[in-house]
Amino acid sequence: AERLTVRSLKAGKYALKIDGAVVGEWNAGQLAAGIELEENEKTPQFQQALKVAQMNKERNDRVIHPLRDQWAQMKGKRNDLRKAADANDPQLSEKQAAFEQWRTTFETKIAELLEQAKKAETEIYQANKPQPHQYELAPLQ
């Protein structure tokens, strides 16, 4: 939660600016009780959080979901091999060879996706760093 409290103001209405942009207007009583800023879409903090959330969604769509799909394929292929071995499948050696060939592609794809995930996380952490902001409270006429 990000709460702004300003006491000892003269009665009246005030505009709050953050980094030069008006984010809202409140009266002296509201400001003395404290106003919540975290859900105010006009604040730079809200916009920063929105950007980080979008970046995380993009990372999940582009990298995490494909990683999970790859691991699910691995699980399925291993189960198929286990069933073939348990059933003494005459084509077991061919299936194992095909699995090993696929596994090479799988490992390459996993490595690529993990590298992309690491890069995306670094970008997200950079975007998520707290930024200094300038607050200004101005009485309205």
Side-chain angles (χ1 to χ4, degrees):
E2 185 172 354
R3 185 177 197 81
L4 175 68
T5 304
V6 183
R7 295 191 175 99
S8 302
L9 293 171
K10 291 181 183 179
K13 201 160 191 163
Y14 294 81
L16 174 63
K17 292 181 183 180
I18 301 178
D19 299 338
V22 175
V23 298
E25 297 175 359
W26 293 271
N27 66 41
Q30 291 170 309
L31 289 161
I35 55 172
E36 298 292 340
L37 296 176
E38 70 269 4
E39 292 183 11
N40 184 327
E41 295 178 10
K42 295 179 181 178
T43 66
Q45 298 92 321
F46 184 94
Q47 293 302 314
Q48 180 183 19
L50 189 63
K51 177 182 177 182
V52 168
Q54 182 60 39
M55 291 173 76
N56 197 48
K57 181 189 179 313
E58 289 170 7
R59 177 186 69 99
N60 285 340
D61 291 345
R62 189 172 34 93
V63 181
I64 302 303
H65 295 147
L67 266 171
R68 289 180 184 158
D69 291 345
Q70 288 292 311
W71 284 110
Q73 286 181 39
M74 172 62 85
K75 182 178 179 180
K77 289 182 182 295
R78 283 183 173 161
N79 285 339
D80 290 346
L81 276 180
R82 193 173 306 114
K83 288 176 187 175
D86 290 347
N88 293 317
D89 187 326
Q91 294 180 328
L92 180 60
S93 60
E94 291 88 359
K95 289 180 179 182
Q96 286 173 327
F99 172 79
E100 290 305 322
Q101 185 177 13
W102 173 84
R103 185 179 188 157
T104 302
T105 304
F106 164 84
E107 289 172 357
T108 300
K109 185 69 173 172
I110 291 292
E112 290 170 1
L113 289 168
L114 289 174
E115 185 60 35
Q116 290 176 27
K118 185 177 179 181
K119 182 180 178 203
E121 287 166 9
T122 299
E123 292 170 357
I124 290 168
Y125 287 128
Q126 287 296 324
N128 197 36
K129 285 185 177 180
Q131 300 296 315
H133 299 287
Q134 182 171 345
Y135 290 69
E136 180 184 346
L137 197 58
L140 295 173
Q141 306 303 344

